[in-house]
């Protein structure tokens, strides 16, 4: 039997919807002597059944199955079953043109060194729109070593290469969750293989929502690993080490950080966490134009993945993260006005007459302390950057789009014209990972400033019950609207308060020393269901958490202790409580039945206190050492009883701030009443007259 000339390695994970088209493109080949090896990588849909049906209809298709181990392991598995001397890695959601094999094999054959033939390719959107043809950069000679040392310069399904070379290199590195093909091309380049272009578009890459949005942390982590390997290989290669055009590992890693962050800019990209993966964050001065190009390419790529109908809706999601990316890179490389001015002048000098510079930057509190802005520790924001660009000779500001959180400016190289200014909404609700850095409103004191300049011996513990719009009129005191609650938390953030939990408060009281900054503890009694639906999202948006005190025998039920005033409100169930606990919300006891401690005999008080604590610890899988007494009513027996039941901190409703001298088992709180004007909140915190809103 004649052996096949080429084997296609096809890893498949949950690919039942696309595998048939992929295999169909092989069946349409004008060259018939091929083999396809499909390895199902532990799919949970019917991919394996689809693959078996395709194999049953065509003897050239072999099908295998493995536990989920990743694409690299699946390709290695497929290669071990390959019968042909040449290989091509084809993903299960991509396809090739009918003359792919006929065109590629002649270029992959011959010569003394292994040859990797590679063609042009085209991206196809989720809606089926074919985008412009793309090709790899020049990879001839030592250029391949240079390019692959910096980024993945070759699309995976565009290459045909000798199986012997793949085997010699040990296949793909299964330690890499991403970037595994880049790592393979890199090692091929440094083992003497030659890359030969085939100037024809022969491959198609399907752009599915989610196909590029792999975990950004994994992408950056694996990119760092590949670039680090490249640096090691270059040290042992005289010609590569002497290449003056190589970016170097540090700039290459920043390049990948910029691209990954931009591709994923529509989601909650955590730039500091991504940047922390880089071994060294270099000064990128001189690479501004290059990094801007990389960022714009990533942004375009990320936008193309979205369904066409979603693109306009995505624009606002992309603007703030991309602006933040530029701010982040600038903040790491520039720390004074002279450096910023130099960069602006370089950008202006590179412009042709009537050329444009488009800037997008966030408003920063450090830059503009009297307005809403991000509390990021970066040197420059909208105000300084705009002013610096305006000071560059020959640049004129033509258009401004101003939002509450960021601004976009269009500068032109040429004569000044009238500047147009439009004001727009900043877009859809922001992700909590972004929203928590926003300080809303004018004035106030930043957390960092308060931490550096103030100490206190009194700590406010705020007491809430419900966050709700409606309920019995007689219970209005215990009900704060969501709008007022948001304004109150924005006030706390704006005035430099930072959140504590009861464990941290207990530790501060034990220490007995003055506390730095402006601490506050937010508490909620009764564990109403609206805490999960209405209160927690507002807390999260403003970078606070809370302690919630649970009536353990009533969980999942209603506040029947309020039934004489009207319809009892719903309480959280255990699933909601556990979910919030996993997000950092602290839970304590509100006894078991919501009866006042003074109405319980000594034994019954101990039983309720101990029972409620044990239930909470069993349900949460964590220690519970705090309690708030229902109605705040206590007598002389209570502190010693609670201590015997394992509690370390207990709250009443006595109206005062907690002082360092207070008994930890009888602490006061400040009730936030829903029937009081919003302005009284500032007075409650000792900041009467300060803006709340």
């Amino acid at each position: 039997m004649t052996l096949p000339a080429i084997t296609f390695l096809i890893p498949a994970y949950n690919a039942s919807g696309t595998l048939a088209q992929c295999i169909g493109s092989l069946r349409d080949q004008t060259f018939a002597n091929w083999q396809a090896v499909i390895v199902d990588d532990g799919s949970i849909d019917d991919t394996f059944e689809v693959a078996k049906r395709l194999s049953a209809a065509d003897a050239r298709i072999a099908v295998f199955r493995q536990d989920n181990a990743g694409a690299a392991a699946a390709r290695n598995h497929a290669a071990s079953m390959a019968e042909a001397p040449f290989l091509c890695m084809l993903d299960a959601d991509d396809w090739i043109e009918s003359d792919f094999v006929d065109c590629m094999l002649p270029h992959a054959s011959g010569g003394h060194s292994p040859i990797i033939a590679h063609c042009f390719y085209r991206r196809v959107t989720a809606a089926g729109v074919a985008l412009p043809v793309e090709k790899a950069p020049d990879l001839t000679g030592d250029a391949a070593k240079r390019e692959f040392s910096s980024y993945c310069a070759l699309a995976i399904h565009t290459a045909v290469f000798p199986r012997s070379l793949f085997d010699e290199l040990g296949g793909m590195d299964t330690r890499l969750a991403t970037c595994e093909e880049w790592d393979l091309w890199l090692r091929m380049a440094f083992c003497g293989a030659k890359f030969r272009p085939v100037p024809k578009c022969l491959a198609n890459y399907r752009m599915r929502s989610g196909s590029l949005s792999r975990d950004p942390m994994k992408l950056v982590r694996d990119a760092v690993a590949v670039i680090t390997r490249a640096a090691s290989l270059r040290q042992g290669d005289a010609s590569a080490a002497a290449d003056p055009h190589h970016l170097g590992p540090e700039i290459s890693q920043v390049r990948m950080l910029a691209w990954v962050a931009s591709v994923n800019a529509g989601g909650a990209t955590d730039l500091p966490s991504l940047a922390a993966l880089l071994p060294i964050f270099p000064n990128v001065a001189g690479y501004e134009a290059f990094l801007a190009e990389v960022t714009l390419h990533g942004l375009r790529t990320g936008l193309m993945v979205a369904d066409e109908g979603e693109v306009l809706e995505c624009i606002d999601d992309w603007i703030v993260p991309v602006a933040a990316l530029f701010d982040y890179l600038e903040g790491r490389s520039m720390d004074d006005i002279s450096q910023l001015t130099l960069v602006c002048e370089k950008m202006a000098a590179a412009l042709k007459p009537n050329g444009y510079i488009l800037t997008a930057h966030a408003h920063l509190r450090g830059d503009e302390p009297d307005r809403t802005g991000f509390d990021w520790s970066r040197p420059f924001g909208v105000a300084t950057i705009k002013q610096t660009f305006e000071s560059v000779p020959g640049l004129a500001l033509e258009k401004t789009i101003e939002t509450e959180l960021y601004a976009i400016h269009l500068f032109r190289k040429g004569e000044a014209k009238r500047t147009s200014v439009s004001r727009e909404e900043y877009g859809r609700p922001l992700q909590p990972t972004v929203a928590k850095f926003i300080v809303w409103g004018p004035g106030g004191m930043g957390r960092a400033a308060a931490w550096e300049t103030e100490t206190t011996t009194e700590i406010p513990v705020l007491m809430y019950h419900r966050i709700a719009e409606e309920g019995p009129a007689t219970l209005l005191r215990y009900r704060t609207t969501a709008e007022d609650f948001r304004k109150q938390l924005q006030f706390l953030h704006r005035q430099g308060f930072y959140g504590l939990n009861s464990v941290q408060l207990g530790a501060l009281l034990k220490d007995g020393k003055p506390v730095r900054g402006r601490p506050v503890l937010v508490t909620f009694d009764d564990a109403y269901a609206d805490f999960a639906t209405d209160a927690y999202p507002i807390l999260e948006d403003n970078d606070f958490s809370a302690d919630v005190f649970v009536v353990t025998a009533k969980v999942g039920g209603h506040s029947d202790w309020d039934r004489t005033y009207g319809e009892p409100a719903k309480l959280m169930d255990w699933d909601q409580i556990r979910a919030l606990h996993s997000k950092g919300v602290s839970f304590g006891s509100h006894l078991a039945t919501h009866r006042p401690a003074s109405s319980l005999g000594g034994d019954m008080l101990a039983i309720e206190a101990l029972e409620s604590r044990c239930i909470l610890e069993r349900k949460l899988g964590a220690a519970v050492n705090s309690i708030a007494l229902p109605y705040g009513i206590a007598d002389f027996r209570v502190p010693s009883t609670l201590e015997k039941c394992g509690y370390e901190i207990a709250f009443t409703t006595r109206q005062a701030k907690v002082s360092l001298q207070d008994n930890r088992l009888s602490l006061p709180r400040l009730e936030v009443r829903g029937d009081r004007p919003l302005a009284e909140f500032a007075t409650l915190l000792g900041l009467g007259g300060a803006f709340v809103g």
Side-chain angles (χ1 to χ4, degrees):
M1 184 178 70
T2 303
L3 292 176
I6 183 171
T7 297
F8 290 90
L9 314 180
I10 306 176
Y13 178 75
N14 292 347
S16 60
T18 60
L19 186 56
Q21 182 184 7
C22 172
I23 295 299
S25 72
L26 299 184
R27 288 176 169 169
D28 291 340
Q29 291 298 303
T30 54
F31 182 95
N33 189 23
W34 53 263
Q35 177 196 25
V37 179
I38 303 171
V39 175
D40 177 73
D41 186 34
S43 297
I44 58 177
D45 65 358
D46 58 349
T47 294
F48 187 59
E49 287 68 28
V50 171
K52 287 194 296 182
R53 288 196 295 271
L54 293 169
S55 177
D58 194 325
R60 294 173 294 182
I61 303 169
V63 178
F64 300 92
R65 197 174 198 178
Q66 66 178 31
D67 292 337
N68 182 253
R75 292 189 184 104
N76 287 347
H77 187 172
S80 71
M81 301 298 173
E83 299 175 355
F86 290 95
L87 302 178
C88 178
M89 298 185 288
L90 181 62
D91 285 349
D93 52 359
D94 299 331
W95 69 98
I96 55 177
E97 298 298 322
S98 60
D99 54 346
F100 179 93
V101 179
D102 265 329
C103 292
M104 296 290 283
L105 274 183
H107 288 81
S109 306
H112 299 292
S113 301
I115 295 172
I116 294 92
H118 58 95
C119 64
F120 300 172
Y121 73 104
R122 178 183 283 113
R123 299 176 191 265
V124 180
T125 70
V129 177
L131 300 175
V133 171
E134 299 183 49
K135 61 180 181 179
D138 177 19
L139 297 174
T140 58
D142 284 340
K145 298 176 183 177
R146 178 193 317 129
E147 299 296 342
F148 290 124
S149 292
S150 183
Y151 80 115
C152 188
L154 193 62
I156 189 169
H157 61 321
T158 62
V160 171
F161 51 89
R163 176 186 169 185
S164 58
L165 177 60
F166 186 87
D167 292 341
E168 177 186 340
L169 293 173
M172 296 191 129
D173 188 342
T174 57
R175 294 171 297 181
L176 297 171
T178 66
C179 305
E180 67 275 8
E181 73 275 27
W182 173 13
D183 176 74
L184 181 64
W185 308 143
L186 171 73
R187 289 183 284 130
M188 286 182 171
F190 275 90
C191 79
K194 304 300 180 184
F195 290 78
R196 181 178 293 173
V198 179
K200 189 174 182 180
C201 182
L202 298 169
N204 300 279
Y205 174 79
R206 186 192 307 272
M207 301 181 69
R208 293 187 303 154
S209 179
S211 62
L212 274 173
S213 57
R214 297 179 183 181
D215 186 335
M217 298 291 286
K218 290 181 180 178
L219 274 168
V220 173
R221 180 200 64 198
D222 291 343
V224 167
V226 176
I227 292 169
T228 302
R229 172 174 277 174
S232 177
L233 292 171
R234 296 184 72 83
Q235 288 180 350
D237 188 301
S239 62
D243 185 351
H245 302 293
H246 175 49
L247 288 176
E250 291 85 7
I251 297 299
S252 296
Q253 289 166 356
V254 173
R255 172 191 196 161
M256 288 304 300
L257 168 69
W259 190 84
V260 170
S262 301
V263 167
N264 292 277
T269 305
D270 186 347
L271 288 172
S273 295
L274 287 178
L277 296 174
L278 275 56
I280 298 174
F281 205 111
N283 187 324
V284 299
Y287 293 93
E288 295 86 0
F290 170 71
L291 291 172
E293 182 179 348
V294 169
T295 301
L296 289 173
H297 179 274
L299 176 59
R300 286 195 302 268
T301 303
L303 284 171
M304 286 189 295
V305 173
D307 293 337
E308 291 175 308
E310 298 175 348
V311 169
L312 289 178
E313 295 181 8
C314 290
I315 293 296
D316 282 329
D317 279 348
W318 257 272
I319 288 292
V320 169
V322 171
L325 172 62
F326 278 114
D327 283 349
Y328 188 82
L329 294 176
E330 288 167 359
R332 296 301 296 260
S333 62
M334 303 177 223
D335 55 13
D336 60 44
I337 296 297
S338 62
Q339 289 177 305
L340 176 63
T341 302
L342 179 62
V343 169
C344 294
E345 290 173 347
K346 284 183 177 181
M347 295 175 69
L351 280 183
K352 294 180 180 180
N354 296 313
Y356 287 96
I357 295 176
L358 182 70
T359 70
H361 295 279
H363 290 290
L364 301 187
R365 288 286 289 193
D367 214 24
E368 303 171 271
D370 293 326
R371 57 152 297 143
T372 293
F374 288 90
D375 190 19
W376 287 328
S377 57
R378 298 174 190 167
F380 312 126
V382 168
T384 299
I385 293 172
K386 173 177 176 285
Q387 182 181 5
T388 305
F389 269 106
E390 285 182 313
S391 70
V392 175
L395 279 187
L397 178 60
E398 283 202 352
K399 186 173 183 178
T400 294
I401 300 175
E402 180 68 58
T403 79
E404 192 170 13
L405 299 179
Y406 60 89
I408 302 171
H409 298 106
L410 184 66
F411 295 90
R412 186 174 66 87
K413 189 171 184 177
E415 293 293 327
K417 295 182 179 180
R418 182 179 178 182
T419 301
S420 67
V421 179
S422 62
R423 299 193 179 275
E424 308 286 347
E425 296 295 324
Y426 61 81
R428 294 179 294 177
L430 298 170
Q431 294 288 337
T433 51
V434 175
K436 70 180 183 179
F437 291 106
I438 300 171
V439 178
W440 300 92
M445 172 180 282
R447 286 175 173 174
W451 183 268
E452 292 297 328
T453 61
E454 294 189 6
T455 60
T456 183
T457 58
E458 293 186 324
I459 300 169
V461 179
L462 304 181
M463 178 177 65
Y464 291 90
H465 288 79
R466 297 191 62 199
I467 302 300
E469 307 296 324
E470 299 179 354
T474 50
L475 297 178
L476 177 60
R477 170 179 178 171
Y478 305 106
R479 194 169 60 249
T480 302
T481 66
E483 180 182 4
D484 281 359
F485 185 55
R486 185 178 297 278
K487 290 177 179 179
Q488 289 165 355
L489 291 190
Q490 289 174 353
F491 171 85
L492 291 175
H493 197 165
R494 184 167 61 250
Q495 294 296 338
F497 286 92
Y498 63 92
L500 298 176
N501 60 34
S502 58
V503 173
Q504 293 165 330
L505 175 62
L508 292 174
L509 295 177
K510 284 182 181 179
D511 187 56
K513 297 177 182 177
V515 181
R516 295 183 68 174
R518 294 182 173 182
V520 66
L521 172 56
V522 181
T523 69
F524 281 80
D525 285 3
D526 304 325
Y528 289 99
D530 51 57
F531 176 84
T533 57
D534 296 89
Y536 178 73
I538 298 173
L539 285 160
E540 189 178 32
D541 280 351
N542 289 278
D543 199 24
F544 288 98
S545 189
D547 276 58
V548 181
F549 298 103
V550 181
V551 186
T552 53
K554 307 292 185 179
V555 170
H558 293 79
S559 58
D560 54 17
W561 53 86
D562 291 332
R563 61 180 175 269
T564 58
Y565 305 108
E567 184 70 23
K570 183 172 176 54
L571 304 175
M572 284 192 286
D573 59 32
W574 285 116
D575 286 342
Q576 290 174 303
I577 291 171
R578 278 189 289 263
L580 289 166
H581 182 258
S582 71
K583 295 180 179 180
V585 176
S586 298
F587 287 92
S589 168
H590 206 42
L591 292 182
T593 62
H594 203 271
R595 288 182 289 175
S598 59
S599 71
L600 300 173
D603 290 343
M604 183 54 66
L605 173 61
I607 290 172
E608 282 221 13
L610 186 59
E611 176 187 314
S612 60
R613 176 171 168 261
C614 291
I615 290 174
L616 280 166
E617 290 187 336
R618 186 171 68 252
K619 293 289 186 178
L620 298 177
V624 172
N625 60 10
S626 64
I627 186 170
L629 297 170
Y631 309 104
I633 300 173
D635 55 34
F636 69 93
R637 305 166 302 144
V638 171
S640 61
T641 300
L642 296 180
E643 185 174 28
K644 291 176 182 177
C645 292
Y647 292 98
E648 297 180 10
I649 191 166
F651 297 98
T652 69
T653 58
R654 179 166 56 90
Q655 190 80 356
K657 293 182 180 180
V658 171
S659 75
L660 297 181
Q661 290 74 41
D662 280 327
N663 183 339
R664 286 183 290 111
L665 290 166
S666 184
L667 295 177
R669 289 187 288 176
L670 300 174
E671 181 185 2
V672 182
R673 295 180 56 157
D675 59 353
R676 292 286 190 264
L678 191 59
E680 287 194 10
F681 187 75
T683 304
L684 192 68
L685 274 297
L687 296 169
F691 170 74
V692 182

